[in-house]
Amino acid sequence: MNIHTLSKEGVFKSLLTSETGLSENEALRRLLEYGMNEIKEVRGKALYLRFLAQFTHFLAILLWIAAALCFLSEYLHPGEALVSLGIAIIAVILVNAIFTFVQEYRAEKAIEALKRLLPFNVKVLREGKAKEIRSEKVVPGDLILLSEGDKAPADARLIESNRLMVNNAPLTGESDSKPGGHDLFAGDYLDSTNIVFAGTHVVSGSGKAVAFATGMSTEFGKIAHLTGGIEERLSPLQKEIIRVTKIVAVIAITTGILFFSLGFFMGRGFWLNFLFAVGIIIANVPEGLLPTVTLSLAMGSQRMAKKKALIKNLNSVETLGSVTVICTDKTGTLTQNKMEVQKVWTLQKKGSGLPAGHAGVKGQVDTTRSRESGEEDRNKSSHDMLMTAAYLCNNAVYDGEKYKGDPTETALLKSAREALGDIKAERVYDIPFDSERKMMTTVHKGPSRYDSLPRGQVDTTRSRGVKSIRLVPEGSSEKEIYLHEPIAPQTLEPFHYISFTKGALETVLPLCDNILSGSGLKTINEDDKNSVTQAYHSMMDEGLRVIAFAYKENSSNSLNSDAIETNLIFVGLMGLEDPPRPEVPDAINKCKEAGIKVIMITGDASRTAIAIAKQIGLVKNNPAAIEGHEISSMTDSELREKLLSREIIFARMTPSHKMRIVTILEDEGERVAVTGDGVNDAPALKKANIGIAMGITGTDVAREAADIVLLDDNFASIVNAIEEGRCIFENIRKFISYILASNIPEAVPYIAYVIFKIPLPLTIMQILAVDLGTDILPALALGTEKPSPGVMQLPPRGPDERLLHFKILGRAYLFLGPIEALAGLFGFFYVLKAGGWQWGTMLPSDNALYMQATTACLGGIIVSQIGNVFACRSYKESIFRLGFFSNKLILFGIAFELMLSFFIIYHPWGNKIFGTAPIGFNIWLILIPFSILLLLAEEIRKLTSNRNKRVYL
């Protein structure tokens, strides 16, 4: 149904409604037939399934296997305290799952609190009576009453309009408000002026419209459905954590099988070998990795929240740090989404010391002239007449507190009020703006000369409550004009009227026979026209939206629609701009330094987009500018080639165009972040590796589709978030290296136990004390390290760069780990020898000497890890340059580690749980040098390493 091509009667007939609206019974029947007028989110998993998913990812599965082995070993060989270990591992899985779920659930609830797009109540006409109903109760056929400030609750066909202006930015991304009219429209449905779309704003005027599509059938709903149909993918960090877990699992299982087989060939019994293999596997499984990664990401999300970036998914924290391309919307993201007058131009008197045309810059208006109405110099000023035209030929209003209306018109009114104050002039006619004429005209009753227009009083006749009726004067049938008082043409007084016209230069200038200049009124000539055109082009090249103004004095006898817009007097130009956010240029520069390509994708025209891009430093030369109609005719290979351009801007984009751009970029291996605030941005936000929505101006659908919501709508916050993301990836490597290093001193005692037939130097519960106890807070403290110097001067990491690679693994397993193992075994044998132990003698698990020896081994690992946490703060940077006290959380983590160690070693409860016994101060004195040895060894390695290589940690 091409409803935009139907007449008013045809609309009523096709939707089975009338000018009095639906009856209540019919509205109820249609509500049951069509459903509620609401956007149904294509939700993913139910809450309970999302919670259960926290128990089934790869790292959790590895821990489940470890816990199962503990229970199996205890069942087959009781008395080894493996039940306690199994319960502890399950507790880790459970706590981690709850913590992650709660964090993401809270973020989701915060997003829901921002949902304010569709209006709560709307006015409709039912059974001939106006009434307010909830927006979700609107049905097809409802007659909707629209007025300034409303948001359309459904897609609706206008049947009446009075100076109606609609802003479609939430749907299309275009900042311009469009006039709404009820006449038939023969063009494309989406461009129709007689359609108002769900979620769009009524900027000014009023109208009546018949709803023809509600809920998911609206254009708004179709985009929401397109967004919901995009499947979620694993983030880069999730993929890397899975890879790390697989590597660790392979090492653990391979080691367990290898030494199980070795023990079997050495003649040990099956159950003893099985218990040993379980110990090896558990020693190699980093039980503390899962909670440490989760807590680190959560802490990162909290830091980003303080910087006004709300994280919906914890893994998004790190993902943002890996992006290579940012596709950003213009309006409301790079700009402030508010128009301002930047320049005015009038023709000046020759010989005045100014060029033939003079452009006044915003903020430099001459306010030294007196505002007394009798001053001839000011009253004849072309500048003042331009400001008067901007004030009176305007549908915006100032209510004493703020400006209301279309952004362009409010900007004009504000500039005029700042220059002249308030002007009283009664408006009697107006010819509305339309996209074909590209201009509008207002007619005002007043004295015969402009010189005597009274000033200083608020124009009370521009209230939205003034009744307007359609009037076609005698002899005119081509245009509509509006009479703001119920006065017939023949009753008009023999009074003079002044009309003001504004619009596009190409439509206004040809209607002008005269021009007002600094020297007075004169006949316009070709030189004058050239001066006007030159000024117009100059403003356009600066990216300004240029509006031309003219006026005419009329007698009552000339008041007809044809005569009003003829023989005009050209008065000047005004250039407006949606100014960039002041912090954006610096943010763009930081992105460039970080090797991140920024691409503007906007619904605005290319000329405006290029000008803004140059102002913010996004482009410097002549960028490749591609508009929507061009991209539609391109093949994927042609578009792929265009995307290789160093500087490129996409203008007049539709949602499908944005989706296509993002898809091709991702196919090329780019990690894409998409920013935006409109409904039209939502599919691309969902498709991208990371979607970033605006929290204040952003629509519900955009926020729902995004991974991150900027609470202050500040593009610069993205740069801070990228730095945080890079830092988090860097810090995850640091604490992985720290955690994995302790796996060696936990595994080596089991190997020595099998090969050398000695008492087991470290029990499984003592391994747990390290992995889930003493290591946790220092590892978390590493997750709070500040970014390495120059982290934002490095290019984004490549897709092949791994979280865990051979250098990291080798440093942990082959360099730091063996030093810690040496410390633990040294302490173990020192205590045994001091107690008179003989080589080959096996000691029972409750033997006092044996418990002290294992405690010394545990102490050696703990002390070594204190040195290791300082060593892991940087892969290249010396700790003496970083400073021992620059990260206060590490000091707090070490203090906690020592307190927990003293509880485990010296408190009876700790002795009972972990099978430990108190050791003398002298034992600590022989263990501390190993911590110093580890730190010095790492410092020597750093000094001899190649400093030209990329910093990994």
Side-chain angles (χ1 to χ4, degrees), residues 18 67 136 143 154 263 323 466 509 551 622 650 657 660 790 800 816 830 951:
S18 67
E136 59 264 31
L143 196 59
V323 299
V466 173
L509 189 59
Y551 76 101
N622 295 318
F650 292 94
H657 292 150
R660 188 179 173 200
D800 297 329
L816 300 175
Y830 181 87
V951 176

Side-chain angles (χ1 to χ4, degrees), residues 168-236:
N168 291 332
L171 185 67
T172 66
E174 294 186 36
S175 58
D176 293 340
S177 296
K178 303 295 184 184
H182 54 270
D183 293 333
L184 278 63
F185 187 82
D188 185 77
Y189 161 76
L190 293 175
D191 296 328
S192 176
T193 57
N194 61 25
I195 300 292
V196 289
F197 295 102
T200 57
H201 303 259
V202 177
V203 175
S204 63
S206 60
K208 290 182 182 178
V210 182
F212 63 86
T214 59
M216 296 301 290
S217 298
T218 63
E219 292 302 312
F220 187 106
K222 291 173 184 177
I223 296 176
H225 180 75
L226 175 63
T227 302
I230 300 172
E231 295 183 1
E232 294 186 2
R233 299 164 295 177
L234 292 176
S235 72

Side-chain angles (χ1 to χ4, degrees), residues 751-768:
I751 297 171
Y753 166 68
V754 171
I755 295 177
F756 301 112
K757 296 183 179 180
I758 59 173
L760 185 61
L762 193 69
T763 67
I764 290 177
M765 287 302 294
Q766 289 165 356
I767 291 174
L768 186 67

Side-chain angles (χ1 to χ4, degrees), residues 678-691:
V679 176
N680 63 319
D681 295 315
L685 288 171
K686 189 76 170 181
K687 174 65 177 174
N689 296 106
I690 190 83

Side-chain angles (χ1 to χ4, degrees), residues 307-321:
K307 299 175 182 178
K308 304 300 182 182
L310 177 64
I311 308 300
K312 291 176 59 181
N313 184 297
L314 289 183
N315 290 293
S316 302
V317 179
E318 180 278 331
T319 305
L320 187 60

Side-chain angles (χ1 to χ4, degrees), residues 1 38 89 160 253 255 343 378 443 541 700 787 807 812 816 911 925 930:
M1 176 177 64
E38 58 187 9
I89 293 175
E160 291 182 19
I253 293 171
T255 307
K343 285 192 175 182
R378 180 201 130 149
V443 183
D541 288 340
D700 173 30
K807 287 187 177 181
L816 300 175
N911 297 157
L925 291 178
F930 285 96

Side-chain angles (χ1 to χ4, degrees), residues 466-483:
V466 173
K467 182 178 180 181
S468 298
I469 63 172
R470 185 170 180 268
L471 172 69
V472 182
E474 183 178 357
S476 173
S477 60
E478 295 183 0
K479 301 188 184 79
E480 289 182 358
I481 62 178
Y482 290 89
L483 177 67

Side-chain angles (χ1 to χ4, degrees), residues 97-118:
I98 293 173
F99 184 82
T100 304
F101 177 77
V102 168
Q103 282 290 116
E104 295 182 1
Y105 182 75
R106 287 175 61 190
E108 184 177 284
K109 287 300 178 185
I111 296 298
E112 289 181 3
L114 294 172
K115 292 181 178 178
R116 295 291 184 272
L117 185 62
L118 289 178

